[in-house]
Amino acid sequence: MVQPLNIFVLTGAGVSAESGLKTFRDSDGLWTHNDLAELATPEGFARNPARVREFYSARRKILEIAAPNKAHLALARLEKEMTALGGSVFLCTQNVDDLHEKAGHRRVVHMHGELTVTRCTMCSGRWTDRGPLTAAQVCPECGTVGTTRPHVVWFGEMPMFMDQIEQALEEADLFVAIGTSGSVYPAAGFVAEARALGIPTCEINVTRSDNTHAFDRRLYGPATEKVGQWVGEVLGD
Ligand code: APR
C-alpha cells in the first residue's frame, strides 16, 4: 500500500541537462565558459546591459527547441499520483527553464526566477516573453523604454518564495535533491534544514555533489534513468 507523503523535491540544472540545456559548473557549463560576474549580477548588468540581454536572449532561443525529458515527466507523474493519494509534491526548482511545466507539472516554485519572463526595472512589472530582450522594448505596465531585464535572480539578489519554501520544508516527510551541485545557498542549505527536522533525505545525481555527506541516501546515474526508478519505488510500481 503506497503511503501518502509530502515530498519536497529540489531540482537543479542537472535535471535539464539531458534536454540539451547546459548546466553551470560542469566542464561545458555556462559559468565554466562565461564570467558570471558579468552576466549574472546587478553590477554586471549595470556595466553592460546589452551584453546581459544578449546572453539571456540566446538562452531563450535554446530553450525554444528544448523538450522535457524522462526525469521531468517522472516528477510530473509523481505530483499527479501522490496528490491523488492525499499526499503532495512541493517542487522547488533552481532552474529558470520551463521544462517542468512543459512536462505537465502543475505547481513549480522557481526560486531563481524564470527565463521566459521579462521584468521592468522601473516599475517591476513582469510579463511572459520568449523573444529577445532589447533596450527598445516598452514596458507594457508603465510605458518606459529601455528598462527590461530577465526575471531571473542574480548573485547578490534574494531568491524568491523563501517563506513558502521554508513552510514546505517543515511539512515534508521526504526531501529529495536532483541534479544540483549543492554549491549555491540558500538552496544548498535545504538538506541540512531537512536533516535537522528529522526528514529522510536523498540525492539523485550523476556524481557526488558538494553536500553529498548531508544525504541519507544517494542514487547515482543520469536523471533520465534514476528519477523514473525512484518515482516508481515511491509509487510502488
Ligand atoms: N543527471 C543528473 N545530474 C546531472 C546530470 C544528469 N544528466 N548532468 C549533470 N548533473 C549534475 C552535476 O553533477 C551537478 O551536480 O547536475 C549538477 C549541476 O550543477 P550546477 O551546474 O552547479 O547547477 P545547479 O546546482 O543547478 O546550480 C545552482 O547556481 O549559478 C547558479 O542560479 C544558478 O540555479 C543555479 C545555481
Side-chain angles (χ1 to χ4, degrees):
M1 177 63 185
V2 180
Q3 285 303 316
L5 294 171
N6 295 319
I7 304 174
F8 188 112
V9 178
L10 172 67
T11 59
V15 82
S16 298
E18 292 164 88
S19 293
L21 299 188
K22 284 189 175 164
T23 64
F24 294 95
R25 295 171 185 83
D26 288 326
S27 54
D28 63 344
L30 289 172
W31 302 150
T32 314
H33 296 280
N34 294 286
D35 180 358
L36 69 83
E38 292 309 309
L39 297 171
T41 63
E43 299 76 12
F45 182 65
R47 273 193 296 275
N48 190 343
R51 173 85 184 89
V52 173
R53 290 189 180 115
E54 186 191 304
F55 174 68
Y56 285 92
S57 299
R59 290 179 68 190
R60 281 183 176 172
K61 210 140 183 57
I62 294 164
L63 182 54
E64 258 173 42
I65 54 172
N69 63 53
K70 284 187 213 162
H72 299 107
L73 294 164
L75 290 172
R77 176 197 168 203
L78 178 70
E79 178 192 53
K80 187 161 178 263
E81 296 189 24
M82 189 47 74
T83 307
L85 284 167
S88 70
V89 171
F90 184 90
L91 177 62
C92 171
T93 186
Q94 300 172 88
N95 301 340
V96 294
D97 67 58
D98 58 354
L99 296 182
H100 283 302
E101 290 88 344
K102 282 182 177 167
H105 213 103
R106 305 291 296 272
R107 186 173 173 227
V108 184
V109 175
H110 284 274
M111 66 179 290
H112 290 164
E114 297 177 72
L115 184 57
T116 56
V117 176
T118 292
R119 184 165 92 216
C120 172
T121 55
M122 181 62 75
C123 72
S124 298
R126 65 189 76 146
W127 60 96
T128 300
D129 184 4
R130 296 172 187 275
L133 276 159
T134 70
Q137 282 176 289
V138 179
C139 170
E141 314 259 324
C142 70
T144 320
V145 186
T147 56
T148 57
R149 63 165 279 181
H151 180 55
V152 166
V153 177
W154 286 329
F155 289 93
E157 296 182 325
M158 274 304 288
M160 301 175 189
F161 311 111
M162 287 306 292
D163 292 346
Q164 284 180 48
I165 291 167
E166 292 302 337
Q167 188 180 343
L169 267 174
E170 280 163 27
E171 293 165 0
D173 306 306
L174 178 60
F175 176 90
V176 185
I178 303 171
T180 181
S181 61
S183 54
V184 175
Y185 287 79
F190 293 167
V191 60
E193 286 183 57
R195 285 183 72 84
L197 290 162
I199 298 166
T201 57
C202 176
E203 166 173 73
I204 300 177
N205 200 309
V206 279
T207 182
R208 301 165 65 83
S209 68
D210 292 359
N211 53 5
T212 195
H213 60 280
F215 289 89
D216 305 315
R217 196 179 168 207
R218 303 162 188 84
L219 298 175
Y220 292 135
T224 52
E225 279 170 36
K226 290 298 172 187
V227 175
Q229 280 173 16
W230 169 71
V231 167
E233 184 188 295
V234 172
L235 294 176
D237 284 1

